[in-house]
Amino acid sequence: MENSHEHIRLTSAEIGHLWSSYLFETSVHHMFRYFSVHVDDPDIAAYVEYCLNTSKRHIHRYMEVFKKEQFPIPRGITSKDINTKAPRLFSDVFYLHYIDGMAKFALNGFSLAVAEVTRKDIRGLFHLHIDAFQKVTEMGKRLLLEKGIYSRPPYISTPESIEFVKSGHFFDGFTNEKRPLTVMEMNQLFQNVRSNALGKALLKGFMQVTHDKKLCSYFEKGKLLANKYVTMFSTILLKEDCNVPSTYASEVMDTTISPFSERFMLNHVAHLITYGTANYGLSLALSPRKDLALMYVRLMGEVMTYAGDGAKLLVKHGWLEQPPTKIDHKLCDD
């Protein structure tokens, strides 16, 4: 029966992952379309073209499933949301870091999908997409290293022996005698600097090209939050003599002509907030030191408030595509 998909309905997990992945990939696909028109380095141009073709294949696969299941194809981002003739907004260096960040988000989402979906053909689809984005990640890392623009996470000395926690002091973090960061805490802080630096640069670009004052104000608020978090995480790392990633603000050009629709920009920020919040949740789980855990809890609250403000703007403009919901079988009112 497992091999006869015609008689196996899609579960809520399968619909949810297909729906959200389709929205995400239409967004990055059209970003890649814009990048491919404005790129100078031939190596990066070839890489962007590969990513563009990869996302195009993925979108077609989602559409095939939706059509086969007679499920409405989400609107997502379309060619109407991109103006490839607009001047360049971001540098080649930004492209590499952007794709590296998006590939990480995609791999996390696809891995969760594989763990949660049931139907064999849907599992196979996400396995294919994991394989593709693993190749995207490998190609991107190689280019970042070859171009000398990849910031490696902090190093530590190799431990001489294994150790066990001997007291509750291991979990403390509100005194002057804080224990050193664990490798997991160190890496989470480093990765959060990197993702916020990327978000800050993206929001800086969106601020420059939007003509809507409320959207500009919203993007500016996000940029300030991202800058605050970059400073916060970097300060903790630097206090322990750890290196921090480079930032990308200088990779934004001066143009004020928008390559993107305002619907695209606001929805793209919403996607990044979703993944950013998930990152903070993971960081919280991997940070036993109480001061770090409390910091992530506080930041998640701030980010969710910012997300709520963005959702209100999306609803106001009619740009928020509603996820599939269960049919309401309530009886009619008397």
Side-chain angles (χ1 to χ4, degrees):
M1 188 67 177
E2 174 67 13
N3 293 321
S4 180
H5 310 305
E6 291 80 5
H7 304 292
I8 303 175
R9 296 167 60 194
L10 292 172
T11 65
S12 57
E14 289 154 357
I15 292 172
H17 283 295
L18 288 166
W19 185 87
S20 60
S21 297
Y22 180 85
L23 292 186
F24 171 78
E25 293 228 41
T26 59
S27 183
V28 297
H29 173 73
H30 286 91
M31 188 70 91
F32 298 157
R33 278 189 59 221
Y34 172 68
F35 290 173
S36 68
V37 177
H38 303 279
V39 58
D40 296 325
D41 187 299
D43 296 330
I44 298 175
Y47 179 53
V48 170
E49 189 68 22
Y50 178 85
C51 295
L52 178 65
N53 292 331
T54 297
S55 60
K56 183 178 181 179
R57 284 196 304 273
H58 292 186
I59 290 168
H60 285 165
R61 287 175 187 151
Y62 295 130
M63 293 177 70
E64 286 173 1
V65 174
F66 288 134
K67 289 176 182 177
K68 183 178 178 181
E69 300 296 324
Q70 298 183 329
F71 195 92
I73 297 175
R75 179 180 175 183
I77 298 301
T78 71
S79 58
K80 294 180 180 179
D81 293 299
I82 301 293
N83 176 16
T84 57
K85 295 180 181 179
R88 169 188 276 242
L89 182 57
F90 301 109
S91 72
D92 288 1
V93 170
F94 177 87
Y95 297 167
L96 287 180
H97 288 291
Y98 173 89
I99 296 172
D100 185 61
M102 296 306 107
K104 178 182 176 182
F105 292 153
L107 284 171
N108 288 340
F110 296 158
S111 297
L112 183 61
V114 167
E116 293 182 346
V117 303
T118 309
R119 235 172 67 173
K120 187 175 181 180
D121 60 328
I122 307 301
R123 288 202 312 274
L125 180 148
F126 282 112
H127 274 299
L128 284 173
H129 293 188
I130 286 174
D131 291 342
F133 268 97
Q134 282 179 330
K135 187 171 182 180
V136 165
T137 300
E138 288 297 320
M139 291 171 66
K141 287 286 193 297
R142 187 180 71 247
L143 276 174
L144 286 164
L145 289 167
E146 288 175 356
K147 305 293 180 185
I149 53 175
Y150 184 72
S151 299
R152 293 180 184 269
Y155 291 97
I156 67 164
S157 301
T158 304
E160 294 180 358
S161 62
I162 63 169
E163 294 186 30
F164 291 88
V165 176
K166 297 180 176 61
S167 74
H169 176 65
F170 179 81
F171 302 100
D172 292 340
F174 298 107
T175 67
N176 291 328
E177 298 181 0
K178 298 175 184 176
R179 61 150 173 81
L181 295 169
T182 66
V183 287
M184 287 83 78
E185 291 166 341
M186 199 182 301
N187 184 55
Q188 290 303 306
L189 289 164
F190 185 89
Q191 300 301 336
N192 285 324
V193 173
R194 179 179 282 167
S195 60
N196 275 282
L198 182 67
K200 177 185 171 183
L202 191 71
L203 286 162
K204 179 184 177 183
F206 287 175
M207 278 177 60
Q208 282 182 194
V209 298
T210 183
H211 300 293
D212 186 305
K213 291 183 179 179
K214 289 187 177 179
L215 261 63
C216 184
S217 177
Y218 181 70
F219 295 150
E220 182 179 23
K221 183 179 179 181
K223 176 175 167 283
L224 292 173
L225 274 178
N227 188 60
K228 170 184 170 182
Y229 298 157
V230 166
T231 302
M232 188 182 301
F233 300 139
S234 297
T235 299
I236 297 171
L237 288 168
L238 290 171
K239 281 183 178 178
E240 303 223 13
D241 297 323
C242 297
N243 61 296
V244 296
S246 57
T247 56
Y248 319 119
S250 61
E251 308 304 332
V252 182
M253 306 302 172
D254 295 332
T255 181
T256 58
I257 300 173
S258 183
F260 315 117
S261 73
E262 282 157 343
R263 185 181 83 92
F264 168 77
M265 290 188 285
L266 194 55
N267 270 286
H268 199 37
V269 171
H271 282 305
L272 296 185
I273 291 171
T274 299
Y275 292 115
T277 306
N279 281 346
Y280 291 148
L282 177 62
S283 298
L284 173 62
L286 295 176
S287 301
R289 227 173 71 176
K290 291 179 181 178
D291 61 322
L292 299 179
L294 184 61
M295 176 188 69
Y296 287 123
V297 169
R298 186 177 70 253
L299 299 194
M300 289 172 71
E302 292 177 355
V303 172
M304 292 308 296
T305 299
Y306 180 64
D309 293 339
K312 290 175 184 176
L313 286 171
L314 285 167
V315 171
K316 178 183 176 182
H317 290 284
W319 296 337
L320 184 60
E321 199 160 351
Q322 180 174 302
T325 60
K326 187 177 182 297
I327 296 175
D328 190 349
H329 293 291
K330 292 179 182 177
L331 297 175
C332 296
D333 295 335
D334 293 334

